[in-house]
Amino acid sequence: QVSPGLRTPLVPVWLCSTLGRHSVLFSTDRQLLSHWKAERIFHLYLYSGQQEQSHTAHLTIDSHSHHWEEAPSEDPCSTGKRCPALEMTIRTKWAGATVRWNGTDPFF
């Protein structure tokens, strides 16, 4: 039998399968899924357990950004460039969101 703590986690947690690799994407903000204002700018953490990941990646998500607000040179997903698969996965939940990797090289 599954304990209640596992059925209803205290923080938002997503299990992801990106490019055949499994990872955990989570937030420490309990209000992220229950309060719509918390979804403006928030932080997600990614742990994959892969050898190339030496520490948990800290991502900043801006779900209400617009592509015209950023300089074209800053957008890694601009026309003609490949977008990291994890960013595309995040955009299935928050369409059009920008993802900042905060100094970590995208490894997905």
Side-chain angles (χ1 to χ4, degrees):
Q1 183 158 39
V2 178
S3 75
L6 292 176
R7 288 189 302 237
T8 309
L10 296 177
V11 295
V13 176
W14 295 272
L15 300 175
C16 302
S17 177
T18 307
L19 300 174
R21 294 181 174 182
H22 295 72
S23 59
V24 177
L25 192 63
F26 63 96
S27 175
T28 56
D29 184 359
R30 295 177 187 216
Q31 293 187 348
L32 183 58
L33 295 178
S34 63
H35 193 259
W36 64 272
K37 288 184 180 181
E39 289 191 28
R40 172 65 171 100
I41 296 176
F42 55 94
H43 303 278
L44 293 178
Y45 301 90
L46 173 72
Y47 181 74
S48 68
Q50 301 295 322
Q51 288 180 329
E52 62 268 17
Q53 184 179 12
S54 60
H55 61 282
T56 302
H58 171 217
L59 309 173
T60 302
I61 314 298
D62 184 348
S63 64
H64 289 80
S65 64
H66 302 289
H67 63 84
W68 59 82
E69 292 176 343
E70 294 197 18
S73 61
E74 294 178 10
D75 186 9
C77 298
S78 62
T79 305
K81 293 186 179 179
R82 294 184 64 184
C83 185
L86 183 67
E87 291 184 26
M88 294 170 57
T89 302
I90 290 171
R91 289 185 186 115
T92 64
K93 170 81 174 134
W94 295 283
T98 57
V99 179
R100 283 183 285 152
W101 287 77
N102 299 316
T104 302
D105 289 330
F107 50 89
F108 271 108

